[in-house]
């Protein structure tokens, strides 16, 4: 049994006694990030990639230099780095930091340098112009230590793009401790936009952009989990939730719902850019 607590002072939700010594167990070989196959893309993933590519292009266009270096933290097989490289021909150096060496084989095959380690242990002799941490900061034992490390790895004009769940959102209120954004026991610390900006500022980073975006996957996990508990659908180890045939249509519908309400409400995912 895992317990999540809320710190009213910091305004963060955190997992009590996270399983820091069981990383190989809680991130098995069939973890979705390791199983991203560029040859088997759904239209929903293609749409997400289009939006991500546009975001990366916008950010890279604001960074000077003829040859840019990019670091992706926790991106698994390196498919995201390939997307970034496609978005900007000035990207010449691409590095991936992740835990799974199997994912490393895929990343290296795509032409990226792979480092199989925790990001807290990673060091580099050269700074990076863009660091991408999409849905990673919530997985680490010490977000402050990671943010401080990212500050030291950034070049003078470099940018750090974070994407992470926002726990003060409609679907969290609806599903409570069954909310998909908890992703128990893999999500260890969850923020609001304000609490994450405060922590980043204490680590020497300045927020230059912040916005909310769709959280269709979290909605889908919440809804399919609710259906599974009632015996209406079946989730098994051989067919995890993200492979269930209902996952993509539910994620698509709820992603559209989130995108419609982003101008007026806080959704379950947020993008923040730091320098």
């Amino acid at each position: 049994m895992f317990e999540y607590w809320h710190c009213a002072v910091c305004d963060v939700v955190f997992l009590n006694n996270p399983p820091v010594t069981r990383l190989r167990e809680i991130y098995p070989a069939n973890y979705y990030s390791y199983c991203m196959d560029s040859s088997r893309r759904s239209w929903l993933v293609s749409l997400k990639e289009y939006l991500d590519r546009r975001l990366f292009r916008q950010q890279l266009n604001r960074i000077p230099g003829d040859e840019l270096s990019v670091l992706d933290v926790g991106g698994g097989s390196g498919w995201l780095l390939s997307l970034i490289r496609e978005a900007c021909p000035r990207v010449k150096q691409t590095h991936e930091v992740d835990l799974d060496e199997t994912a490393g084989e895929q990343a290296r095959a795509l032409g990226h340098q792979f480092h199989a380690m925790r990001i807290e242990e990673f060091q580099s002799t050269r700074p990076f112009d863009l660091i991408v941490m999409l849905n990673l900061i919530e997985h680490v034992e010490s977000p402050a230590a990671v943010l401080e490390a990212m500050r030291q790895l950034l070049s003078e004009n470099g940018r750090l793009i974070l994407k992470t769940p926002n726990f003060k959102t409609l679907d969290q209120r609806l599903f409570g401790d069954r909310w998909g954004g908890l992703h128990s026991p893999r999500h260890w610390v969850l923020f609001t936009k304000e609490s994450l900006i405060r922590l980043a500022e204490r680590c020497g980073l300045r927020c230059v952009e912040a916005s909310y975006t769709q959280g269709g996957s979290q909605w889908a996990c919440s809804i399919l989990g609710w259906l599974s508990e009632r015996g209406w659908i079946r989730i098994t180890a051989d067919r995890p939730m993200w492979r269930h045939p209902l996952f993509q249509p539910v994620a698509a519908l709820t992603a559209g719902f989130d995108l419609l309400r982003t101008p007026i409400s806080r959704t379950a995912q947020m993008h923040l850019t730091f320098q």
Side-chain angles (χ1 to χ4, degrees), residues 4 26 48 55 59 69 75 82 96-97 100 148 165 179 181 187 192 233 236 250:
Y4 284 88
I26 65 175
K48 179 183 179 299
L55 169 68
Q59 295 294 338
S69 57
S82 297
E96 175 82 45
V97 174
D100 189 75
E148 289 172 357
W179 177 49
H187 285 183
T192 64
I233 65 170
T236 66
V250 172

Side-chain angles (χ1 to χ4, degrees), residues 95-197:
H95 291 251
E96 175 82 45
V97 174
D98 206 300
L99 293 172
D100 189 75
E101 184 56 40
T102 303
E105 295 174 6
Q106 301 175 60
R108 293 186 186 101
L110 293 171
H112 312 302
Q113 298 187 51
F114 188 87
H115 312 273
M117 62 182 65
R118 296 173 62 177
I119 185 56
E120 296 92 331
E121 303 165 353
F122 176 68
Q123 295 181 345
S124 175
T125 57
R126 62 168 295 171
F128 292 94
D129 301 296
L130 179 68
I131 299 177
V132 179
M133 294 176 57
L134 302 191
N135 298 110
L136 184 282
I137 194 72
E138 64 272 15
H139 291 262
V140 303
E141 182 180 6
S142 174
V146 170
L147 290 172
E148 289 172 357
M150 296 303 97
R151 176 181 58 81
Q152 295 175 11
L153 289 170
L154 275 178
S155 65
E156 182 179 358
N157 296 302
R159 291 189 166 217
L160 166 65
I161 300 178
L162 291 182
K163 183 180 179 184
T164 190
N166 160 44
F167 75 86
K168 286 189 175 178
T169 187
L170 173 63
D171 43 320
Q172 190 281 326
R173 292 195 294 271
L174 288 174
F175 292 98
D177 60 3
R178 299 296 192 271
W179 177 49
L182 293 176
H183 198 35
S184 179
R186 301 182 183 100
H187 285 183
W188 296 351
V189 186
L190 296 164
F191 299 88
T192 64
K193 181 178 71 174
E194 293 79 10
S195 61
L196 182 53
I197 290 174

Side-chain angles (χ1 to χ4, degrees), residues 1-60:
M1 177 68 69
F2 293 96
E3 292 183 336
Y4 284 88
W5 294 33
H6 176 237
C7 174
V9 176
C10 303
D11 201 18
V12 299
V13 167
F14 63 95
L15 180 62
N16 190 35
N17 296 320
V20 295
T21 62
R22 295 165 54 192
L23 297 182
R24 301 293 179 184
E25 179 183 350
I26 65 175
Y27 297 104
N30 67 343
Y31 186 57
Y32 77 95
S33 181
Y34 303 151
C35 301
M36 296 297 290
D37 181 355
S38 59
S39 66
R40 300 176 60 189
R41 290 288 191 236
S42 69
W43 67 268
L44 182 62
V45 173
S46 297
L47 175 61
K48 179 183 179 299
E49 288 186 353
Y50 166 77
L51 296 173
D52 284 343
R53 191 182 292 109
R54 185 175 65 175
L55 169 68
F56 298 138
R57 187 178 294 115
Q58 291 172 347
Q59 295 294 338
L60 288 164

Side-chain angles (χ1 to χ4, degrees), residues 200-270:
E201 288 176 345
R202 290 202 297 270
C203 297
L205 294 165
R206 175 174 60 91
C207 182
V208 293
E209 292 181 14
S211 62
Y212 294 100
T213 186
Q214 60 84 18
S217 295
Q218 290 173 188
W219 275 101
C221 289
S222 302
I223 293 170
L224 267 62
W226 185 86
L227 293 173
S228 176
E229 285 185 344
R230 283 150 183 79
W232 295 345
I233 65 170
R234 190 164 174 234
I235 305 296
T236 66
D238 294 333
R239 189 176 68 175
M241 191 174 293
W242 64 275
R243 282 182 171 162
H244 193 279
L246 284 177
F247 186 88
Q248 288 195 11
V250 172
L253 288 172
T254 51
F257 171 65
D258 271 357
L259 290 173
L260 287 173
R261 68 193 186 97
T262 48
I264 58 173
S265 61
R266 301 181 175 210
T267 57
Q269 283 280 332
M270 49 190 181

